[in-house]
Amino acid sequence: MTETLLTATRTAARPAARASGEIRLIDVTKSFSPGSYAVREINLTIPDGCYCCLLGPSGCGKTTILRMIAGHETPTAGEISIGGHSVLGLPPGRRGTAMMFQSYALFPHLSVLDNVAFYLKMRGIRRDERRRQARAMLERVQLDHLRDRMPAQLSGGQQQRVALARSLITNPRVLLLDEPLSALDEFLRLRMRGELKSLQTELGITFVHVTHTQPEAIALADLVVVMETGQIEQAASAAAIFDRPATPYVARFMGGQNVLTGRVMQLADARPRLESSEGWIFELPAAPAPPAGATVSVAIRRDRVALSRHDSRGNSVPPNAIAGSVEATEYQGSYFKVTLNVGMKHAFVANVSDTAFAAEPVAAGDVVLASWRAEHVHVLSRPDLGDAGVPYLDTTE
Amino acid sequence: MSGKSSWIPYLQVTPLVLVLLLFFVVPIALVVIVSFFRYQMLTGLTPAFTFASYLDFLSNPTTWWLYFSTLKFTLIVLVLTFVIGFWIAYFLVFHVRSLIIAMGLFLVCTVPFWTSDIIRMIAWRPVLGREGLINDALVSSGVVSHPLSWLLYSNFSVILAYVYLDTLFMIVPIFNSMARIDRALLEVAVDAGASRWAAIRDIVLPLSKTGIALGALFVVTLVMGDFFVINVMSGGLAGSAMTGMANDLQVLNYPRAAANAVILLVIVLLIASGIFRLVDVRRELVR
C-alpha cells in the first residue's frame, strides 16, 4: 500500500519548480479573550521539506498554531511567513498550504471523486478536467474503485486516504495535518503512520503534524516541537528530545526518563555533586558547572539504570545510586519495566534488558539499588518544581 | 412465552392506531364519501354514488381561477419565504457566535406567534391602510402625493401577510439542518479557496436541502389550505381554493365542498410527493 501511495504522488504532487515550504513564526501570539493566551510569543522555524510534529496535551495551543499557519486563525501579534514571504492577510486558499482536518471533514453529500475534485473546482478548473485529475489521483492511491461511493460508505482508513488525496491534489508546498491518526484504530494507525512518513519523504514538501501522542511524534518527525500552555518547551530532533530533554516537563511528557532534583554541592577537587532532600548523592557532568547551592534537576534515562540487590542494613548508598523497594515489574517483550518506590513523589523506573533481568531477577517487595554512570546524567535547564506534567503515555508501545 | 409476546406489539401500537383512525382516517373517509352524495337545492343531501359534484365543480370557471390564484400565491410565497428563511437561518447558525444569543434571536422570531393569527392580520390594517402608518409617512415626507392604494386589499398585502406568517416555518427546519453541518466542512471550503458564495452554493445549500424541503412542505400546505388570510388581507377581492369551499358550505352544498376538498388534497399530496422525490427526507433525517 505504501508503495502505491508513493508512486501515486511521485508524478502527481511535484510541480516542476516547487516553491519553498519553509515556515517561520516570529513572536506569534494568539489571544481569544483579553488576558488569556492560546499561544504566547512563539518563535519557530520549520525548514523546507521538514516533517514537523507539534506535540503536547490538549489545550496547549498546538492546533491554534496549525490553524494560524493555514490561515483559519489570525495571530493577535507576530509574523508568519512561508517560503520567505509573509502570509498574514492571505486567505487559506492562496497560501500554498493544504490542511487535513481531524475528522477528515469529507463532504457527506459529494462522492469520493467530487470530494477530491473539490479544490480544483474552487480554483475554477473545468468539470471534465478536474474529474480527470481527481480520477488520476484516486487511481494512484488505489481508491479509484470507490470513486462513486459516498464518504459514509467508507472505512476510517479509506476516508483518511480520500482526505489526503483531496488536500494533495493542488500540489501544496505545506501539508498541515490536525491529529490525522487519532480517529483510526491501533492497527491502521501504525500503518498510516508509516505511509505518512514515506509520503512526506517522497513528496519532499513540509509536513506539520499535530499530535498528542509521543510515539507518533518520535516515529515521524524530523523536528519535534513539545508545547505546554501556549509555549514551546523544546524544539529539536526526536532523538534530542528523547535523549536530552530540555526541561523537567519534556522529560516527564516524553517518558523514558527519571527526573531527580537536588542542591549543588561544590567540592574543591571533585566533580560537582547534587544532594537530594532524601540524602542521595548524584554526580553531575564536569561542565557546565552550576553554582553551588543552586537547585538543579537532572534526567536519567530509564534504560541507563542498572539494578542490584541491596542490603539496607549497614550498607550505605554510594553516589549515583538510589535505593528503593520494587513496586511492580512489567514484562515489555525486550525489557522489563521495574517500578521502584524510593520515597519520592514520582516513582523511579528502570527499564532492565531481558538478559540483565534474567541474570538478577527482582520481584515486588525486594529492596534494590538503582545505579547509573555519571556520564548518563543529563542536566535540565530548570529545576523540577514538582508541578510539571506527568507523562501522558509511556513510550512503550 | 412466545404466545404471550406475539400480541404485545399489537397492544403497543393500538393507542396510536385508534387515534389515527378516529382523527385522520375516519374524517377523510367521510369527506370522500360525502363528495359522492347527491345535492339538491331544497332537499339537501341524499346518499348516492354520483360524480355530479365533481363535474359541477370542475366545469365551473371560478374553480379554475381560484386554483390558479392559489397556486400562484403558493409559488410566490414559497420563493420569498425560502429566500428570507434561508438567510435568517444562515445568519443564526453561522454568524452568531454565541449559542445563547442565537437561541435568543430564535425566540424573538417566534414572538409574533404568541398571539392569534386574527389579531396579527387585523394589526396590519392600520399599518398598510390608506390612512395607515406607511401612507401617512410617505405622503407627509413628500415621497408620494397620494396614498398608495395597493398596500392593502391587494395581492401585495396578501403575499406580505403570508410571508410574515409562514417564514418561521421555513426558518425552523432550515436552521435545524444547518446547525448539523460540521463547521470543518466550511473550513475545508475556505482552505480550497472557495468564496463565501461558492461555499454556500456547494456546501451549505446542498446540506440544508432536507430543511428546505420540510419548510417548503409546511409553506405549501399552509398557503394552499388558507382561507382566512386571503379573505382579510385582500378584502374579499382575491380568493383561494378554500374560498370556494367556504361558499359551498354556506349554502349547505356539502358534496361540492367535499369534492373540492378531495381535489385539493390530491394536489397537495402530488406537490408533497414531488418534494419528497427531490429530497429523500427520511434518509436525510436519520443521517
Side-chain angles (χ1 to χ4, degrees):
Chain A
M1 270 314 214
T2 309
E3 289 304 311
T4 58
L5 205 58
L6 287 189
T7 39
T9 33
R10 184 170 290 143
T11 40
R14 182 174 271 182
R18 190 170 49 76
S20 162
E22 184 201 60
I23 303 169
R24 246 176 223 276
L25 289 90
I26 301 159
D27 289 330
V28 171
T29 293
K30 175 69 183 178
S31 169
F32 289 103
S33 59
S36 75
Y37 298 91
V39 299
R40 193 164 190 178
E41 286 159 21
I42 293 281
N43 284 288
L44 179 66
T45 299
I46 303 170
D48 182 32
C50 173
Y51 200 124
C52 173
C53 276
L54 302 179
L55 175 65
S58 55
C60 71
K62 56 193 191 301
T63 299
T64 306
I65 291 184
L66 194 78
R67 292 171 56 80
M68 286 192 291
I69 298 171
H72 292 300
E73 302 284 358
T74 313
T76 312
E79 174 66 76
I80 298 176
S81 66
I82 300 175
H85 300 285
S86 172
V87 292
L88 290 183
L90 281 184
R94 290 181 49 207
R95 293 189 173 200
T97 58
M99 186 151 168
M100 203 175 102
F101 290 81
Q102 186 170 8
S103 53
Y104 312 139
L106 297 178
F107 300 119
H109 61 296
L110 296 180
S111 67
V112 165
L113 187 68
D114 287 334
N115 260 288
V116 175
F118 186 80
Y119 275 56
L120 301 175
K121 182 180 185 185
M122 292 303 117
R123 278 163 168 73
I125 292 167
R126 282 195 349 269
R127 181 186 168 90
D128 44 351
E129 171 60 18
R130 63 174 189 255
R131 289 204 156 183
R132 191 190 60 73
Q133 287 190 31
R135 275 199 69 164
M137 186 59 139
L138 284 172
E139 259 164 39
R140 294 186 189 114
V141 296
Q142 286 205 330
L143 284 174
D144 191 44
H145 59 294
L146 301 175
R147 66 179 180 274
D148 294 325
R149 293 261 185 99
M150 301 308 269
Q153 298 168 298
L154 302 180
S155 71
Q158 289 168 337
Q159 288 187 15
Q160 203 218 27
R161 284 155 168 278
V162 173
L164 206 52
R166 181 176 68 178
S167 42
L168 284 174
I169 199 161
T170 52
N171 299 323
R173 52 183 168 160
V174 174
L175 184 64
L176 305 164
L177 307 116
D178 188 5
E179 308 239 358
L181 304 173
S182 62
L184 302 176
D185 64 49
E186 189 61 29
F187 172 75
L188 263 180
R189 182 157 49 235
L190 290 180
R191 207 179 74 185
M192 291 311 293
R193 189 170 91 183
E195 285 197 22
L196 278 181
K197 180 67 184 171
S198 10
L199 181 65
Q200 191 270 338
T201 313
E202 181 59 32
L203 290 176
I205 64 172
T206 312
F207 273 36
V208 184
H209 175 137
V210 160
T211 179
H212 58 251
T213 317
Q214 294 88 336
E216 205 167 294
I218 288 179
L220 285 170
D222 305 317
L223 177 66
V224 179
V225 180
V226 183
M227 294 192 60
E228 202 217 7
T229 57
Q231 288 182 315
I232 294 177
E233 287 277 316
Q234 190 174 8
S237 72
I241 293 258
F242 190 71
D243 196 46
R244 296 184 301 281
T247 64
Y249 175 81
V250 176
R252 291 240 164 76
F253 185 73
M254 296 310 292
Q257 302 273 359
N258 293 294
V259 178
L260 300 170
T261 306
R263 196 176 277 277
V264 178
M265 312 187 303
Q266 188 69 62
L267 301 172
D269 55 340
R271 286 183 164 210
R273 291 177 163 210
L274 218 53
E275 183 177 11
S276 80
S277 55
E278 292 83 6
W280 319 117
I281 304 290
F282 318 130
E283 280 181 336
L284 297 179
T295 303
V296 164
S297 287
V298 295
I300 296 136
R301 278 176 61 158
R302 291 176 177 179
D303 52 353
R304 304 285 191 240
V305 177
L307 295 183
S308 57
R309 287 191 182 277
H310 179 63
D311 184 3
S312 52
R313 286 158 303 175
N315 289 341
S316 65
V317 175
N320 299 330
I322 193 166
S325 62
V326 175
E327 254 182 6
T329 61
E330 242 177 61
Y331 181 53
Q332 301 282 355
S334 57
Y335 65 92
F336 284 83
K337 178 183 167 192
V338 182
T339 311
L340 305 181
N341 180 358
V342 292
M344 296 192 298
K345 183 181 164 197
H346 296 283
F348 191 94
V349 179
N351 290 347
V352 183
S353 74
D354 52 355
T355 46
F357 192 86
E360 192 171 4
V362 293
D366 292 352
V367 175
V368 294
L369 194 67
S371 58
W372 55 88
R373 304 224 301 268
E375 62 262 37
H376 289 145
V377 171
H378 170 69
V379 180
L380 301 172
S381 68
R382 57 171 174 258
D384 183 13
L385 301 173
D387 54 356
V390 289
Y392 178 87
L393 261 182
D394 272 349
T395 43
T396 53
E397 283 189 34
Chain B
M1 183 66 192
S2 65
K4 187 183 169 190
S5 63
S6 64
W7 52 264
I8 281 180
Y10 294 101
L11 202 64
Q12 286 170 326
V13 299
T14 301
L16 184 62
V17 168
L18 283 180
V19 168
L20 285 177
L21 272 178
L22 202 60
F23 296 106
F24 183 71
V25 177
V26 170
I28 287 180
L30 277 177
V31 169
V32 173
I33 290 168
V34 169
S35 73
F36 293 108
F37 280 14
R38 191 181 306 282
Y39 169 79
Q40 276 166 325
M41 194 73 84
L42 297 173
T43 52
L45 299 184
T46 33
F49 184 77
T50 169
F51 287 94
S53 295
Y54 285 92
L55 291 172
D56 185 18
F57 178 70
L58 291 173
S59 62
N60 188 342
T62 313
T63 303
W64 294 92
W65 179 75
L66 286 174
Y67 267 86
F68 173 74
S69 157
T70 305
L71 286 172
K72 181 187 70 185
F73 280 127
T74 305
L75 200 67
I76 295 171
V77 172
L78 197 56
V79 170
L80 290 176
T81 52
F82 163 65
V83 172
I84 299 169
F86 184 86
W87 288 114
I88 292 177
Y90 181 81
F91 173 78
L92 287 178
V93 173
F94 293 110
H95 282 263
V96 183
R97 288 201 163 210
S98 146
L99 186 70
I100 293 169
I101 294 176
M103 281 300 154
L105 290 174
F106 196 81
L107 278 179
V108 168
C109 292
T110 68
V111 166
F113 290 78
W114 296 355
T115 181
S116 96
D117 274 19
I118 300 176
I119 290 170
R120 282 181 294 147
M121 285 305 93
I122 306 293
W124 275 108
R125 289 183 170 181
V127 176
L128 298 174
R130 279 189 77 82
E131 277 114 46
L133 280 176
I134 292 176
N135 269 325
D136 263 8
L138 288 178
V139 170
S140 61
S141 65
V143 176
V144 293
S145 53
H146 301 290
L148 301 171
S149 57
W150 52 264
L151 282 183
L152 188 59
Y153 303 139
S154 61
N155 286 348
F156 169 78
S157 57
V158 172
I159 291 168
L160 180 77
Y162 278 140
V163 170
Y164 163 67
L165 286 173
D166 298 343
T167 301
L168 185 71
F169 296 98
M170 202 53 118
I171 296 175
V172 174
I174 296 180
F175 177 90
N176 183 41
S177 43
M178 270 186 193
R180 293 193 295 169
I181 297 177
D182 183 357
R183 300 297 168 101
L185 297 182
L186 292 183
E187 292 194 329
V188 174
V190 171
D191 214 47
S195 64
R196 175 177 296 188
W197 283 105
I200 289 172
R201 185 194 64 214
D202 284 326
I203 313 297
V204 180
L205 201 58
L207 289 174
S208 308
K209 63 181 184 184
T210 318
I212 296 167
L214 287 174
L217 202 62
F218 286 138
V219 171
V220 165
T221 49
L222 284 169
V223 176
M224 301 270 308
D226 169 69
F227 156 69
F228 174 74
V229 173
I230 196 164
N231 214 10
V232 171
M233 296 309 283
S234 77
L237 295 175
S240 70
M242 294 286 285
T243 315
M245 215 179 290
N247 291 342
D248 283 341
L249 290 175
Q250 276 175 357
V251 298
L252 303 181
N253 191 344
Y254 290 118
R256 197 165 70 179
N260 188 348
V262 170
I263 287 170
L264 185 61
L265 185 66
V266 168
I267 289 175
V268 172
L269 284 177
L270 284 176
I271 295 176
S273 67
I275 290 173
F276 285 125
R277 193 166 289 248
L278 285 176
V279 181
D280 189 348
V281 175
R282 274 164 54 120
R283 202 198 72 204
E284 299 280 331
L285 281 182
V286 296
R287 180 162 60 85

